[in-house]
Amino acid sequence: MIAIMLARKWNPMGGYKFLGIILEIYVYCFLILTVALKYTENYSWIESIWQVWQTYSTVGYGNSPAETVNGRSLIMAFSYIAIALYAGIGGGIIDIFINRREAKRKGLMNNPYTDQTVVLNMPEPHHMVRLIEETQHAFPEFCFCIVDNNIDELPTIVSEFKNIHFIRGSLTDKETYKRARIQEQKDVIIFPSRFDGSDVDAETRTVVELVCLLYTSPSPRDLSTSRMPSSA
């Protein structure tokens, strides 16, 4: 456990790149020790692979231990290398899960849902909760992808619902719509970025026109001129 924590701390890249490098080193070291033991201990290829597997897995059955000084030195050295590599692999896997969770929380991951609803500009949290509750009451497996560039993450009362995905991105950036996979969705609901100010309608209309210009498959619904129902 300590070795894994140290591996994560010394991991400057994180994620798949770090794990890929560790696995590549693991394979190279496995091959090097296999060849080295074959010629220092006069093993067959099968016996050499078996000895390396025992060393790397730290099982060490001891049924045919290395007899030469060079062979024993190699096994001792590569045993420590194997332990360090296992720690690196464990730390890399943990980092992948942590990074994915953080990326999802911060709206950096693409929309995993299709044939569902995309919400552009999240309304007030309690209004969004009512929309989700009413929809998922009728359709329990219904999914929402919320796209908003004005929040860093979804409020807890919204994110605690199942089948909710968040994307942070500008609604004037075509890449944001690609990440939301709008062409593959059933509906697009567009809220104004705010409910006050003289330029709200113009901003929302711009988003509606952009969605219609870029994509023809969704049917955007403009809610800029309608008030959300007040909470009970």
Side-chain angles (χ1 to χ4, degrees), residues 60-222:
Y61 290 118
N63 53 335
S64 56
E67 297 180 356
T68 66
V69 174
N70 290 337
R72 292 179 178 179
S73 299
L74 285 168
I75 288 178
M76 290 174 61
F78 277 87
S79 294
Y80 288 110
I81 293 174
I83 292 172
L85 291 175
Y86 281 132
I89 292 172
I93 293 174
I94 292 173
D95 273 343
I96 286 175
F97 284 103
I98 292 177
N99 291 343
R100 283 179 61 85
R101 184 174 60 187
E102 282 295 298
K104 182 177 180 180
R105 184 176 65 85
K106 294 180 179 179
L108 303 178
M109 296 186 67
N110 294 345
N111 183 11
Y113 307 128
T114 59
D115 200 30
Q116 301 295 327
T117 291
V118 171
V119 176
L120 303 181
N121 289 323
M122 191 185 78
E124 290 295 324
H126 61 279
H127 290 150
M128 191 69 226
V129 167
R130 290 191 62 187
L131 175 61
I132 296 171
E133 286 179 338
E134 292 175 4
T135 305
Q136 292 189 347
H137 177 74
F139 308 98
E141 299 303 319
F142 200 86
C143 308
F144 285 92
C145 175
I146 301 171
V147 182
D148 200 314
N149 200 38
N150 298 313
I151 56 177
D152 295 327
E153 59 184 86
L154 291 178
T156 303
I157 61 173
V158 176
S159 63
E160 65 185 7
F161 284 92
K162 67 176 183 178
N163 299 333
I164 304 297
H165 187 76
F166 169 55
I167 290 179
R168 187 168 189 233
S170 172
L171 298 185
T172 60
D173 186 354
K174 186 176 180 180
E175 186 63 28
T176 300
Y177 298 101
K178 289 183 178 179
R179 292 172 54 207
R181 301 171 68 180
I182 283 187
Q183 283 185 311
E184 304 173 57
Q185 306 306 322
K186 184 182 298 183
D187 289 299
V188 179
I189 302 176
I190 303 175
F191 289 95
S193 57
R194 60 188 188 280
F195 282 98
D196 57 349
S198 58
D199 58 345
V200 171
D201 287 346
E203 291 178 1
T204 308
R205 288 295 177 186
T206 300
V207 174
V208 173
E209 292 172 2
L210 182 58
V211 172
C212 293
L213 178 65
L214 293 175
Y215 307 103
T216 57
S217 55
S219 53
R221 287 183 278 168
D222 177 13

